Amino acid sequence: MNEAKLPTMKEAAAPPLAQAPDQEQPVNPTLPAPRLRAQGKWSRFLQKYNLLPTLLFFVIWELFSRLNASIELFNPRFLPAPSVLVQEAWRLAESGVLLESIAASTVRILIGFVIGCVAAVGIGVLMSKFRLVELWFSPILNLVGPIPALALLPLFIIWFGIGEFPKILLIAWTTFIPVLVYTVDGFKSVPSTLIRSALSLGASERQVFMRVMLPSAIPNFLVGAQVSLGLSFSALIVSEMMGADSGLGYIIVDARNYFKITNMFVAIILIGLEYSLFAYALRLVERRVMAWRKGGLRDAVEK
């Protein structure tokens, strides 16, 4: 009688043979459909750029404007719906007025903002290095710093005429004051132990400034730039509303003169959008330059 051959321990522990290629593979039911993948990408995009509050704001505005057009709580022309504003913006873009105004305002704010920041950093370095410079500059800055841009613009127009120079100068001056204050505070906040340590290791004065003082003052400078950005846009619109023939501020003045409410709203929304883009660019710069900095409640609490 033939006995059945028992498998050895090695054969019993061996894994089963791989499935034949001609057999049908099971379908993974957890794979998302293309529509679900698209919805997931759109959701991640909204969360990344925090666009949901803005979209919700415009949706509520649209619904309220349509409701007001039906029951007429007040004159519907005073608050047009965002869909109407999009149509008006498209009409202005086709005429070329909108693109020309956006380009003019962008160039002015860029040039004025950069000039103001560069001048503020230069004066801030001198004030932090030479006590005599700070002694002479501080009282003057305290005297003229609180003067609003609206009060200075007529003087700039009288002194320099109607043109691009007084507008850019007003923007640069409005940018200069906050950036200078924050930059000087940043240089003064550098720990003296770091400077002494660098000097004891043989660093030159230039190396101390470039590798110790400047990196320590960058966070304050970026805060000052963010604060002055809103003031710079205010100075831009004020300068374009007085003595200009182009720009978003000019569109607002022209709409006021001819009672074009939709044009006024289009310019106002574009000002807000342009400011948001500039602020987002500053945040990107801060995130890249200050990637080493961690702090705050969100970094302290573990999730």
Side-chain angles (χ1 to χ4, degrees):
M1 184 175 180
N2 297 330
E3 295 181 357
K5 185 178 180 181
L6 297 176
T8 63
M9 294 180 62
K10 186 174 182 181
E11 293 176 348
L17 295 176
Q19 194 175 13
D22 56 344
Q23 294 182 357
E24 186 177 357
Q25 298 289 339
V27 179
N28 187 2
T30 62
L31 288 177
R35 180 176 298 179
L36 293 178
R37 287 197 298 267
Q39 291 178 355
K41 291 180 179 179
W42 176 247
S43 177
R44 288 192 297 270
F45 177 79
L46 291 178
Q47 291 179 356
K48 181 179 179 180
Y49 297 101
N50 198 22
L51 295 178
L52 188 59
T54 305
L55 292 177
L56 184 61
F57 170 77
F58 282 107
V59 168
I60 295 176
W61 182 357
E62 179 76 23
L63 295 176
F64 181 77
S65 297
R66 292 183 179 275
L67 178 63
N68 181 52
S70 301
I71 63 178
E72 293 189 1
L73 295 173
F74 52 88
N75 192 340
R77 295 184 61 185
F78 292 165
L79 187 65
S83 57
V84 178
L85 299 181
V86 170
Q87 297 174 2
E88 184 64 21
W90 181 259
R91 187 187 65 80
L92 291 174
E94 287 181 338
S95 65
V97 175
L98 191 62
L99 298 179
E100 180 184 357
S101 299
I102 293 175
S105 297
T106 303
V107 170
R108 289 165 186 157
I109 193 69
L110 275 176
I111 297 176
F113 188 76
V114 170
I115 292 175
C117 289
V118 172
V121 172
I123 300 297
V125 171
L126 295 177
M127 291 179 64
S128 62
K129 187 175 182 180
F130 303 103
R131 185 171 181 81
L132 185 62
V133 176
E134 182 183 5
L135 187 65
W136 280 91
F137 261 88
S138 295
I140 299 175
L141 293 175
N142 292 333
L143 179 65
V144 300
I147 300 176
L150 184 59
L152 293 175
L153 180 61
L155 286 177
F156 286 179
I157 293 177
I158 293 173
W159 291 343
F160 306 108
I162 298 176
E164 295 299 320
F165 183 73
K167 300 177 182 62
I168 293 176
L169 183 61
L170 185 68
I171 296 169
W173 172 256
T174 309
T175 305
F176 173 77
I177 298 297
V179 176
L180 176 63
V181 172
Y182 279 91
T183 302
V184 171
D185 182 70
F187 283 127
K188 288 183 178 181
S189 301
V190 179
S192 58
T193 54
L194 295 179
I195 300 176
R196 293 195 191 100
S197 300
L199 292 174
S200 64
L201 292 174
S204 63
E205 189 174 350
R206 181 178 178 274
Q207 289 175 333
V208 169
F209 174 76
M210 296 297 297
R211 299 190 178 184
V212 177
M213 296 188 65
L214 190 60
S216 300
I218 284 178
N220 293 62
F221 165 75
L222 292 175
V223 173
Q226 292 176 359
V227 170
S228 64
L229 183 62
L231 300 175
S232 302
F233 267 87
S234 300
L236 168 70
I237 302 307
V238 167
S239 63
E240 289 180 344
M241 293 177 71
M242 298 176 61
D245 56 358
S246 63
L248 297 175
Y250 171 75
I251 292 179
I252 295 176
V253 173
D254 183 73
R256 180 201 63 186
N257 294 335
Y258 296 97
F259 203 70
K260 299 178 180 179
I261 304 296
T262 53
N263 291 14
M264 193 180 302
F265 271 100
V266 168
I268 291 172
I269 291 175
L270 287 176
I271 292 169
L273 292 177
E274 189 168 359
Y275 169 79
S276 300
L277 290 177
F278 273 80
Y280 179 71
L282 276 179
R283 285 195 296 269
L284 287 181
V285 172
E286 181 182 10
R287 199 176 304 166
R288 186 174 183 85
V289 175
M290 306 300 299
W292 53 269
R293 186 173 65 174
K294 297 285 185 181
L297 180 62
R298 283 182 292 184
D299 293 326
V301 179
E302 297 182 359
K303 297 181 180 180

